[in-house]
Amino acid sequence: MDKSFVTTAAIGAAAGALIGAGAAVIVATQRGEQIRLTVLDAVESLRASGPTINERGHALVEKSQEVTSVVKETLGAVKELKEETVSAAKDVKSDVQDSVRTSGVGGKPTDGSAGSI
């Protein structure tokens, strides 16, 4: 996650709060002055919690970068293990084929030699 995501999330949260406050104003049965005070309280509360939201957003970004780093490292190790496994399997296959070629199936060589008796 980058800084723009955190900024976008904070803006989205603020916009949601304002839209919610606006909807409350429209459907409320309170008097105008009471509604204004309620909206102002909501805006002030949002302003007060903004730095906390921002700090948590930055902490989330840092954690996600750490997780991404660990995942990349693990993926690299898995790829390396896969390559080693494929190489070992090819070596075993080659050894088996060589063994079959030199000893033959059923004790008879398949490479045209007399074999060992």
Side-chain angles (χ1 to χ4, degrees), residues 75-87:
L75 183 60
V78 168
K79 284 182 180 180
E80 185 177 321
L81 180 61
K82 176 192 169 205
E83 291 170 3
E84 291 173 4
T85 303
V86 168
S87 177

Side-chain angles (χ1 to χ4, degrees), residues 43-102:
V43 169
E44 187 58 37
S45 175
L46 182 61
R47 250 189 226 145
S49 63
T52 303
I53 292 170
N54 192 25
E55 288 174 19
R56 288 182 180 172
H58 287 295
L60 181 61
V61 167
E62 288 176 18
K63 287 292 182 188
S64 68
Q65 289 171 344
E66 289 175 20
V67 168
T68 299
S69 176
V70 169
V71 168
K72 285 181 181 179
E73 192 174 303
T74 303
L75 183 60
V78 168
K79 284 182 180 180
E80 185 177 321
L81 180 61
K82 176 192 169 205
E83 291 170 3
E84 291 173 4
T85 303
V86 168
S87 177
K90 286 180 181 178
D91 290 346
V92 169
K93 179 181 176 183
S94 177
D95 289 347
V96 168
Q97 287 174 339
D98 288 346
S99 178
V100 167
R101 238 183 268 121
T102 58

